Amino acid sequence: MAFADELLDLARRIASLDGVNPQQASLRRAVSTAYYALFHLAIGEATANWSQSELRPLLGRVFEHGKMKQACSRLLGGKSDIPPFEKRATPEDHLRAVAKAFVQAQEQREDADDADYDVAAPWSRGQVEAQIESVADAFRSWTAIRGRPDAQEFLVLLLGPKQRRGQA
């Protein structure tokens, strides 16, 4: 099982801790772990293309949360209407689903981390499970398109904005 898959599984397990009365700390940690599952899925897929496997961890450290979110937001272009998985007819639908899930997961993680300081806004298990399912859905969409040239280009764009020729 790949690290990203392990993190997604862990997020599910953390969300189900504590029986019918989940602790806020568990719910918040589950949201954060789901985000990191998607983050590491993208990094793992991008670095797997690097032929020198011993340098893949170093390459993975180049990816930045903010730049990845910006790339996903640019890909979405303000469009948030993504069909459910079973109705995604095009690779673009799947790619946009991955991008949207990344943006949402990062925002939810930031909310969860902020909530570690501001406990006035409690999370429900239902909210957390929906967020985890959104990430799982992105995993399924990624699997559907991962070998396509546009998906591979997306992985490169996660490093930051395209540079025009002549720019440093």
Side-chain angles (χ1 to χ4, degrees):
M1 180 180 271
F3 185 60
D5 295 314
E6 291 177 16
L7 286 170
L8 184 56
D9 181 58
L10 179 60
R12 288 181 171 128
R13 286 185 284 132
I14 293 170
S16 67
L17 289 175
D18 310 321
V20 295
N21 295 314
Q23 295 180 17
Q24 289 297 302
S26 297
L27 295 176
R28 292 183 184 116
R29 193 54 37 220
V31 167
S32 183
T33 302
Y35 164 71
Y36 278 104
L38 191 51
F39 177 77
H40 283 284
L41 175 70
I43 291 172
E45 290 288 313
T47 60
N49 292 323
W50 191 259
S51 65
Q52 295 180 328
S53 60
E54 68 277 6
L55 295 177
R56 289 177 186 160
L58 182 60
L59 177 60
R61 300 292 298 162
V62 175
F63 288 85
E64 298 176 21
H65 299 273
K67 287 181 179 180
M68 292 172 75
K69 182 180 176 186
Q70 288 172 357
C72 290
S73 295
R74 279 192 302 276
L75 183 111
L76 289 169
K79 299 177 185 175
S80 61
D81 56 322
I82 310 236
F85 182 82
E86 57 279 351
K87 292 188 178 184
R88 291 182 194 143
T90 67
E92 181 184 352
D93 287 344
H94 286 290
L95 196 52
R96 287 180 49 241
V98 172
K100 181 177 180 182
F102 189 91
V103 169
Q104 287 179 335
Q106 191 180 76
E107 289 172 354
Q108 294 292 325
R109 180 197 55 113
E110 289 171 358
D111 289 348
D113 287 348
D114 288 345
D116 286 343
Y117 302 103
D118 178 12
V119 294
W123 288 70
S124 72
R125 179 174 279 145
Q127 289 172 301
V128 172
E129 288 173 346
Q131 181 58 36
I132 293 169
E133 183 52 36
S134 172
V135 169
D137 181 72
F139 272 56
R140 289 187 293 275
S141 272
W142 181 255
T143 299
I145 60 164
R146 67 187 293 227
R148 294 185 48 83
D150 48 351
Q152 293 299 304
E153 179 183 4
F154 169 72
L155 293 173
V156 173
L157 294 176
L158 293 176
L159 287 166
K162 287 184 184 180
Q163 296 292 320
R164 290 201 167 104
R165 288 186 182 190
Q167 284 185 321

